[in-house]
Amino acid sequence: MSQQAFQDCYPEELSHCYGCGVNNAKGHQLKSYWLDEESGETIAHFTPKACHTAVPGFVYGGLIASLIDCHGTGSASAAAYRAEGRVIGSDPALRFVTGALNVSFLAPTPLGVELTLHGRITEIKERKVIVEITLLANDITCVKGSVVAVKMPATMG
Amino acid sequence: MSQQAFQDCYPEELSHCYGCGVNNAKGHQLKSYWLDEESGETIAHFTPKACHTAVPGFVYGGLIASLIDCHGTGSASAAAYRAEGRVIGSDPALRFVTGALNVSFLAPTPLGVELTLHGRITEIKERKVIVEITLLANDITCVKGSVVAVKMPATMG
């Protein structure tokens, strides 16, 4: 895709996340994009490794929760920039953390194929964005999740 | 502890989970135990690695979700054996998968200390067990979660 990933627009010092930080060499480095900016739909793709097993042949739920989490906070950041009419990544940074994460595992997620995460912004306020996410494998919905993303405070302590 | 961990009692072929399988050399190998079998309370400890970062100094939410997930399914398995009056690990195996996972991040979880997961069995039926989990760091509750664990079907396809 020609767009820059949301996570590639995070400030350097906030790009260490194991799930999506470009500065975390050991992490998943998930990349999220607009699928349709107008309607608030986002997309990400990820292919789990063989070690990301639950039981043989299926993806471990913790990884799925992680992908939903990072696609949710990334989508929230992009949506907040859009709501302010600002270019994503411009200062001051709009970075979100997860307040709540809900995941429903509807069908076992097969290992060995690329997964697709579809996000949809369903609520946006200044300090809180809600993102509903569907995870598909082979075009079948395996998991649904929602992320309540909260604007990151100036200090985390 | 003198008890054997719940996950160490899983059948060989169901011990590949990235979060808790003894046969997954790259995974987290979480170990869960009874804290009080009588009242249905369980415990696990885990020290995240430096790479498990969200933003510098704090633990990545995806790892926390993973730990809650595996402590939940492990606790469910132990509770199901207890309900049947059977020794954990005896055949036929009682292994659970996650139907739903809900996580509320109440305070940032500091990196660099051992985390404690307290589980409490709140509902137990033949095919479904609900486990409420609290995650503490430095004796402070940072995260609360619940796992709806569903008895693993004979085949996952």
Side-chain angles (χ1 to χ4, degrees):
Chain A
M1 294 186 213
S2 57
Q3 289 177 59
Q4 199 173 13
F6 303 157
Q7 291 87 356
D8 291 344
C9 302
Y10 288 166
E12 275 294 309
E13 69 277 16
L14 299 178
S15 296
H16 297 275
C17 175
Y18 188 85
C20 63
V22 294
N23 294 335
N24 193 322
K26 294 183 179 171
H28 303 315
Q29 304 217 353
L30 185 74
K31 307 282 186 199
S32 303
Y33 302 89
W34 284 117
L35 178 64
D36 184 339
E37 187 168 352
E38 188 82 16
S39 65
E41 288 174 73
T42 62
I43 193 162
H45 294 100
F46 190 83
T47 303
K49 296 179 184 168
C51 64
H52 292 139
T53 305
V55 295
F58 299 99
V59 181
Y60 147 70
L63 175 70
I64 290 170
S66 302
L67 299 175
I68 289 174
D69 187 345
C70 286
H71 187 55
T73 50
S75 297
S77 173
Y81 275 109
R82 186 193 62 167
E84 293 191 7
R86 288 169 50 197
V87 173
I88 185 167
S90 59
D91 288 327
L94 295 172
R95 181 85 158 82
F96 284 71
V97 291
T98 305
L101 170 69
N102 298 315
V103 185
S104 295
F105 297 91
L106 307 176
T109 301
L111 196 61
V113 298
E114 184 183 70
L115 308 179
T116 300
L117 295 116
H118 274 149
R120 196 163 53 84
I121 310 296
T122 57
E123 187 178 321
I124 179 160
K125 293 183 178 166
E126 198 205 329
R127 305 197 65 78
K128 186 177 92 170
V129 178
I130 299 179
V131 187
E132 302 288 340
I133 294 168
T134 303
L135 181 143
L136 301 102
N138 298 325
D139 295 327
I140 294 166
T141 296
C142 298
V143 184
K144 289 193 173 191
S146 72
V147 174
V148 178
V150 180
K151 195 170 164 185
M152 187 180 283
T155 62
M156 291 282 285
Chain B
M1 293 186 215
S2 58
Q3 289 178 60
Q4 199 173 13
F6 302 156
Q7 292 87 357
D8 291 344
C9 302
Y10 288 167
E12 275 293 310
E13 68 276 18
L14 300 178
S15 296
H16 298 275
C17 176
Y18 188 86
C20 62
V22 293
N23 294 334
N24 193 323
K26 294 183 179 171
H28 304 314
Q29 303 216 356
L30 185 75
K31 307 283 186 199
S32 303
Y33 302 88
W34 285 118
L35 178 64
D36 184 338
E37 186 168 354
E38 188 84 15
S39 65
E41 288 174 73
T42 61
I43 193 161
H45 293 100
F46 190 83
T47 303
K49 296 179 184 168
C51 65
H52 293 139
T53 305
V55 295
F58 299 99
V59 181
Y60 147 69
L63 175 72
I64 291 169
S66 303
L67 299 175
I68 288 174
D69 187 345
C70 287
H71 187 56
T73 50
S75 297
S77 173
Y81 275 109
R82 185 193 61 167
E84 294 191 7
R86 288 168 50 198
V87 173
I88 186 166
S90 59
D91 287 327
L94 294 172
R95 181 83 158 84
F96 284 71
V97 291
T98 306
L101 170 68
N102 298 315
V103 185
S104 295
F105 297 91
L106 307 176
T109 301
L111 197 60
V113 299
E114 184 183 71
L115 308 179
T116 300
L117 294 116
H118 273 150
R120 197 164 53 85
I121 310 296
T122 56
E123 186 178 321
I124 179 160
K125 294 185 177 165
E126 198 205 328
R127 307 196 63 78
K128 187 177 92 170
V129 179
I130 299 179
V131 188
E132 303 287 340
I133 295 168
T134 302
L135 182 144
L136 301 100
N138 297 327
D139 295 326
I140 294 166
T141 296
C142 298
V143 184
K144 289 194 172 188
S146 71
V147 174
V148 179
V150 179
K151 196 170 164 186
M152 187 181 282
T155 62
M156 290 282 285

